[in-house]
Amino acid sequence: LSEENLAHLEIHTTLKGPYPKLRQLITTLLNKEPALALRELSLQRPNADTPDVEAKIQFVVFLANDWPP
């Protein structure tokens, strides 16, 4: 089955914070929700002196075939 044949929901978000915390959050989400997949991740840091990064994240949640009810 291709992804296009499956019911899914796309989530686009931008988060800012220290890289280790963002990585921990993404890892926790993926480990706790088996229907969640990371489709795209883009990291940017304005300069080397800045501790925070900006993460543009795209998740996909695969839904049961009978959703929505």
Side-chain angles (χ1 to χ4, degrees), residues 12-16 22 26 38 40-44 53-59:
H12 300 256
T13 188
T14 300
L15 301 174
K16 292 182 183 178
L22 294 174
I26 293 168
L38 180 62
E40 188 173 324
L41 174 63
S42 171
L43 299 171
Q44 287 188 315
V53 296
E54 179 180 283
K56 292 183 181 178
I57 305 169
Q58 183 180 356
F59 289 109

Side-chain angles (χ1 to χ4, degrees), residues 29-49:
L29 291 171
L30 292 172
N31 285 335
K32 288 193 176 211
E33 184 51 60
L36 183 69
L38 180 62
R39 175 176 278 170
E40 188 173 324
L41 174 63
S42 171
L43 299 171
Q44 287 188 315
R45 185 185 310 239
N47 60 57
D49 298 331

Side-chain angles (χ1 to χ4, degrees), residues 4 9 22 27 29 39 46 60:
E4 290 78 28
L9 174 69
L22 294 174
T27 301
L29 291 171
R39 175 176 278 170
V60 177

Side-chain angles (χ1 to χ4, degrees), residues 50-68:
T50 305
D52 291 346
V53 296
E54 179 180 283
K56 292 183 181 178
I57 305 169
Q58 183 180 356
F59 289 109
V60 177
V61 181
F62 292 97
L63 307 169
N65 289 336
D66 57 352
W67 194 90

